[in-house]
Amino acid sequence: MHEFELIRQVFREADYARPGGAVVRSIGDDCALLHIAVGEQLAVSTDSLLEDVHFPAGADGFLLGQRALAVAVSDLAAMGARPLAFTLALSLPRADVDWLRELSRGLQAMAQQTGTPLVGGDTTRGPLNIGVTVMGTVPDGQALLRSGAKPGQQLWVSGPLGAATAALQVLQDGDNDYPGLFAAYWSPRPQLELGQWLRGKDGAALDVSDGLLADAGHMAAESGVRLVIERELVPVHPEALALSADRAPEWALCGGDDYQLVFTLFEQQAAALQAQFPQACCIGRVCEGQGVLLVDGQGRPVEFSRRGYQHF
Ligand code: ADP
Ligand code: MG
């Protein structure tokens, strides 16, 4: 038990685990205690990162810590929630304290960037797995749901896609000439400001974790609408294009892990959105019907499968 005690110390003594603000009691008791204001709902989401499944074996602790928290906080952004706190469930094959300190430094960087303090967790022995549960708050009834898309709305994405898939190609080749891709994969930026801005605007939102077309399919199904996406309007990350002008457009449509938000809006809100979030792009529209329809510049349907797409 001695080494687990050591592990708890690493996290308990970290700057980002201090009580304060809404955190009444942090690490050290049987539960953390969090204050939630009247009129707010709690948004909760869990993500696990398992070695060899979600990240390459031997990954750098700092980068992993950043990414583990970023992908979890992205779910709060997609609901329009404001981060409150997170807990950390660690399964570790051995107690490598140096590596854990690096993991903790990475978690701290993202915790400070997103305003999400650590308030507790659990530590067990087993295959390397990093489980993060994030909690956030949203005013009663104002969370952004996947089911909120309405025919007549525009479909938007918060920024360029394809970088994370491109990064995985580069990482496999051991190539380090694409710092923007590296950053996109290891420290995606949760779109918290945008998520909160979208509250009360009558649309739907989700974050792109599986790929634009796959995730748009989830929104279409939950909303009972058809989403029409214009292929030429989908923003492709410039460094992904630099890596492969041929393949980058497909990475942007089908690759996952970018953690941009996909959302819907009525046209009247578009100018205000663009003024505040210039990276956001309108990529299509919400129609009656079902599923996702990808069209080319002439409005002709483009066939695609989960793995890729082809022209008719
Ligand atoms: P219990 O057996 O009562 O669950 P633990 O010994 O598992 O208590 O944990 C003691 C304290 O340390 C708790 O406050 C718990 O939240 C915290 N803790 C344990 N592991 C971690 C971890 N990996 N990260 C952050 N806090 C942790
Ligand atoms: Mg415990």
Side-chain angles (χ1 to χ4, degrees):
M1 264 348 220
H2 175 70
E3 47 183 0
F4 281 5
E5 189 49 42
L6 204 64
I7 291 163
R8 281 193 287 273
Q9 291 306 324
V10 168
F11 294 106
R12 187 171 183 174
E13 283 162 18
D15 278 348
Y16 64 108
R18 295 242 164 80
V23 180
V24 181
R25 194 80 179 86
S26 184
I27 295 174
D29 217 311
D30 293 311
C31 289
L33 291 176
L34 307 174
H35 178 77
I36 298 171
V38 174
E40 303 224 296
Q41 292 174 331
L42 188 64
V44 183
S45 173
T46 298
D47 280 289
S48 295
L49 292 186
L50 185 60
E51 185 173 52
D52 277 330
V53 177
H54 300 103
F55 61 90
D60 181 86
F62 177 83
L63 295 174
L64 205 51
Q66 273 199 330
R67 181 169 152 79
L69 185 55
V71 305
V73 171
S74 175
D75 285 317
L76 294 178
M79 295 297 282
R82 214 156 58 90
L84 180 64
F86 78 102
T87 60
L88 178 66
L90 282 180
S91 162
L92 303 165
R94 75 198 84 82
D96 178 345
V97 173
D98 288 338
W99 188 87
L100 280 166
R101 286 194 201 283
E102 282 304 294
L103 179 77
S104 183
R105 269 204 327 117
L107 288 166
Q108 169 152 301
M110 194 50 65
Q112 289 173 341
Q113 188 179 313
T114 59
T116 318
L118 175 66
V119 296
D122 197 28
T123 310
T124 55
R125 194 179 305 278
L128 181 57
N129 185 36
I130 300 163
V132 172
T133 297
V134 285
M135 289 154 276
T137 55
V138 61
D140 274 342
Q142 282 200 39
L144 305 174
L145 306 180
R146 294 178 173 193
S147 55
K150 295 162 189 73
Q153 287 185 320
Q154 298 177 330
L155 182 68
W156 287 73
V157 65
S158 58
L161 298 169
T165 307
L168 286 174
Q169 314 281 324
V170 172
L171 289 174
Q172 270 159 21
D173 301 343
D175 189 340
N176 261 338
D177 290 341
Y178 298 90
L181 298 182
F182 195 75
Y185 181 77
W186 284 115
S187 55
R189 253 181 67 86
Q191 301 292 309
L192 288 164
E193 297 82 8
L194 173 59
Q196 287 165 53
W197 186 89
L198 287 169
R199 288 195 312 228
K201 305 253 181 344
D202 220 20
L206 54 65
D207 63 331
V208 182
S209 53
D210 294 342
L212 173 65
L213 296 176
D215 286 319
H218 299 142
M219 183 183 285
E222 290 297 318
S223 295
V225 296
R226 161 169 279 193
L227 298 178
V228 179
I229 297 178
E230 287 186 43
R231 188 179 55 183
E232 271 71 36
L233 298 181
V234 174
V236 184
H237 195 283
E239 281 195 52
L241 278 170
L243 183 67
S244 171
D246 285 345
R247 296 169 68 201
E250 182 165 350
W251 296 335
L253 289 168
C254 304
D257 290 331
D258 283 310
Y259 299 98
Q260 297 289 349
L261 295 188
V262 171
F263 56 96
T264 68
L265 265 190
F266 284 109
E267 199 180 340
Q268 298 88 288
Q269 315 273 12
L273 172 78
Q274 283 276 251
Q276 208 160 335
F277 303 96
Q279 285 230 309
C281 295
C282 180
I283 57 169
R285 58 192 187 278
V286 185
C287 301
E288 307 271 357
Q290 57 178 7
V292 176
L293 181 68
L294 183 67
V295 298
D296 67 13
Q298 280 74 50
R300 289 178 307 220
V302 178
E303 208 171 75
F304 64 90
S305 68
R306 231 174 179 287
R307 287 222 195 90
Y309 71 97
Q310 313 145 337
H311 236 136
F312 266 140

